[in-house]
Amino acid sequence: METIKKLKEVRPSWDQYLIQIAQLVATRSTCLRRKVGAILVKDKRILSTGYNGAPRKLAHCAKTGCLRDKLRIPPGERQEICRGLHAEQNAIIQAALYGINIKEAILYCTHQPCITCAKMLINAGIKKIIFQGEYPDKLAYQMLQEGQIELIKTGDKNAPGSL
């Protein structure tokens, strides 16, 4: 009985486990501003992963420099002016590339999605987003709510398996 109690104290919940995997995915990011990781999950199985950075075969920002920094673009604005793709976009693209159905999946992400990613996630049929860090994009948050995607920020004591 004592061993079972200790195991429950050490073993993470599914939400904790999956957000930790998203954190690990973020370590592959090549973005100089913000490291973001995302995973799409259905029935506790990882369908695809993504991190932010330049598209395949293109030079990473570590080599070219950050275009957004050069142009002094603040976070949360003008996301299209960037060499990189967002983690959520890469997770969706990876699933499409390999023919994986992500409808009704859950997105675990190290940060709240931006407006561009929010629109893609709504149209992809994502049912829930569990995220950690804030992102300065209130419109994205509002659209996700309007699109009936459940949003859970980890650390919320009402969230299942909150960190």
Side-chain angles (χ1 to χ4, degrees):
M1 216 43 171
E2 186 66 30
T3 304
I4 293 172
K5 183 179 176 186
K6 285 182 182 179
L7 181 61
K8 285 184 179 181
E9 290 172 4
V10 175
R11 191 171 188 220
S13 70
W14 277 103
D15 286 343
Q16 291 168 327
Y17 169 72
L18 292 164
I19 202 74
Q20 288 171 0
I21 292 172
Q23 291 170 339
L24 181 61
V25 170
T27 65
R28 291 282 304 154
S29 170
T30 60
C31 180
L32 300 174
R33 278 187 161 194
R34 183 187 319 258
K35 306 273 186 222
V36 181
I39 62 172
L40 287 166
V41 176
K42 193 185 293 186
D43 299 325
K44 299 178 184 171
R45 301 291 174 250
I46 297 171
L47 303 175
S48 68
T49 66
Y51 53 86
N52 57 331
R56 67 176 79 200
K57 300 181 183 177
L58 298 187
H60 297 299
C61 297
K63 185 174 183 179
T64 65
C66 178
L67 179 60
R68 293 175 59 78
D69 280 348
K70 288 177 189 173
L71 297 174
R72 296 188 176 134
I73 299 170
E77 295 179 19
R78 305 295 313 268
Q79 291 93 345
E80 76 280 6
I81 301 177
C82 180
R83 291 183 56 81
L85 290 159
H86 288 188
E88 303 93 324
Q89 293 168 343
N90 274 324
I92 292 169
I93 292 165
Q94 183 185 63
L97 187 63
Y98 293 102
I100 299 168
N101 180 359
I102 59 172
K103 185 178 180 184
E104 299 294 316
I106 298 171
L107 175 79
Y108 288 84
C109 196
T110 58
H111 294 78
Q112 175 202 310
C114 73
I115 187 66
T116 303
C117 292
K119 291 184 278 188
M120 292 175 72
L121 293 163
I122 291 166
N123 274 2
I126 302 307
K127 69 177 183 178
K128 183 190 298 187
I129 298 171
I130 298 175
F131 67 97
Q132 286 183 305
E134 301 280 339
Y135 189 73
D137 196 333
K138 291 179 183 175
L139 180 58
Y141 197 86
Q142 291 168 352
M143 287 185 76
L144 288 165
Q145 288 180 317
E146 185 180 342
Q148 299 178 348
I149 294 179
E150 184 180 356
L151 295 163
I152 299 173
K153 183 175 186 305
T154 59
D156 178 353
K157 51 187 160 176
N158 297 322
S162 64
L163 302 175

